[in-house]
Amino acid sequence: MDEPSPAANELVIEVSHSSLNRGDLLMIKSGQAGHVRGLDAVGVVTRAAADGSGAPVGTRVLAYSRFGGWSERVAVSTEKVVPLPDTVSSSDAAVLPAAGLTALRALHYGGFLLGVPVLVTGATGGVGCYAVQLAREAGAHVTAVVSSPDRQEFIDKLGGIGVVAGDKFDGPYDLILDGVGGKGLNRSFDVVSDRGTIVIYGESDRTPIQVPSEWWYKKPGARMVGMVVIDELAQHNAWNSDLRLLVSLVENGRLDPLVSGSYPWTHIEEALAAMEDRKVTGKIAISVGDE
């Protein structure tokens, strides 16, 4: 690969760690060419931005790279890069951006969450495991949905979060975060409260969605929102502030990165297989280069 050619507002990072997200897996399976994968990146700045913005050379940073996180060096806009404190490890930081930003932005649709009943499907996945923790930290009454009883212990260890298996949840819930689709989403139409919100950010189950007849009438004011995180962050110019918040929560022990697997970049196929076969709970970190 050629060396990155940064724009004036981009710095260059020597990457030490990245992560694996379902978006990477989907892009690989779709056969999209022309980009090195890797939505997230941690490393050291080797070239500062020409416009003077962002971190100086030698700073260890975290970035939402969107592409290139699995490469040795990547150019990233300075608004999507934040410095890392020494107390947060590179592997813990590397799993945060894509999944953490998605969870954080999805929860914004619920507004003030203190005492609010919140349901999170796919709670042992990358986004879900952060969403349940962030909702708990905001004071919500959180119910996590897991695919099977054997995954319940993963959530129980986090504390302060209710757990149900399958689609046996009753509600009502003022905010539902869904990254699964299928039967669970169909069930969500029944358990969302009047004037409640269902936020859809993913669809791993392609079972057709069936909106109940007269749902709009039976659930007055309820809404369903499709969320694309890069659109949300661009619209609110929240890349930097949201990344800083996630890092701060990890640094202060209020958000567990939940790294359940770590692979060298030479074993990326093994990591992809573990994700596709759903053998992973939480997040997978990837070490790049000689790390």
Side-chain angles (χ1 to χ4, degrees), residues 111-130:
F112 185 66
L113 292 178
L114 184 62
V116 171
V118 174
L119 181 77
V120 179
T121 68
T124 59
V127 176
C129 72
Y130 293 156

Side-chain angles (χ1 to χ4, degrees), residues 81-137:
V81 180
V82 297
L84 278 176
D86 293 339
T87 50
V88 177
S89 73
S90 293
S91 59
D92 279 353
V95 299
L96 290 175
L101 291 171
T102 301
L104 192 57
R105 280 291 122 191
L107 288 168
H108 272 278
Y109 278 96
F112 185 66
L113 292 178
L114 184 62
V116 171
V118 174
L119 181 77
V120 179
T121 68
T124 59
V127 176
C129 72
Y130 293 156
V132 294
Q133 294 182 76
L134 293 169
R136 179 197 61 196
E137 289 301 306

Side-chain angles (χ1 to χ4, degrees), residues 158-172:
L158 298 174
I161 300 167
V163 189
V164 295
D167 57 359
K168 307 302 181 184
F169 41 88
D170 296 321

Side-chain angles (χ1 to χ4, degrees), residues 44-281:
V44 175
V45 177
T46 58
R47 181 173 174 179
D51 66 0
S53 65
V57 170
T59 306
R60 191 172 69 106
V61 294
L62 169 66
Y64 177 83
S65 55
R66 190 177 182 190
F67 297 109
W70 297 353
S71 57
E72 293 177 293
R73 284 171 291 280
V74 63
V76 185
S77 170
T78 56
E79 69 176 353
K80 301 174 184 177
V81 180
V82 297
L84 278 176
D86 293 339
T87 50
V88 177
S89 73
S90 293
S91 59
D92 279 353
V95 299
L96 290 175
L101 291 171
T102 301
L104 192 57
R105 280 291 122 191
L107 288 168
H108 272 278
Y109 278 96
F112 185 66
L113 292 178
L114 184 62
V116 171
V118 174
L119 181 77
V120 179
T121 68
T124 59
V127 176
C129 72
Y130 293 156
V132 294
Q133 294 182 76
L134 293 169
R136 179 197 61 196
E137 289 301 306
H141 295 307
V142 188
T143 300
V145 182
V146 298
S147 58
S148 58
D150 61 298
R151 292 188 168 227
Q152 181 171 337
E153 184 180 0
F154 178 80
I155 299 297
D156 286 339
K157 290 179 179 179
L158 298 174
I161 300 167
V163 189
V164 295
D167 57 359
K168 307 302 181 184
F169 41 88
D170 296 321
Y173 299 97
D174 291 353
L175 178 65
I176 298 176
L177 270 54
D178 185 86
V180 179
K183 292 189 297 182
L185 179 54
N186 285 331
R187 175 66 179 146
S188 295
F189 293 124
D190 296 326
V191 300
V192 69
S193 64
D194 296 352
R195 289 167 292 281
T197 302
I198 301 172
V199 181
I200 302 169
Y201 62 85
E203 188 182 27
S204 58
D205 181 351
R206 299 303 176 94
T207 302
I209 298 168
Q210 297 177 330
V211 180
S213 176
E214 296 188 335
W215 181 67
W216 57 272
Y217 180 76
K218 297 172 183 176
K219 300 287 184 177
R223 60 175 177 160
M224 178 172 57
V225 178
M227 192 199 79
V228 179
V229 68
I230 57 174
D231 175 71
E232 287 288 318
L233 290 162
Q235 181 180 350
H236 298 283
N237 192 27
W239 298 99
N240 202 270
S241 60
D242 280 8
L243 280 173
R244 287 180 183 274
L245 175 58
L246 292 170
V247 171
S248 175
L249 289 170
V250 172
E251 184 181 21
N252 290 293
R254 295 171 62 190
L255 177 65
D256 188 335
L258 294 172
V259 178
S260 59
S262 184
Y263 295 79
W265 69 273
T266 50
H267 291 189
I268 193 68
E269 291 185 359
E270 182 180 342
L272 288 165
M275 171 172 279
E276 185 169 21
D277 294 340
R278 302 190 179 281
K279 296 178 180 178
V280 176
T281 52

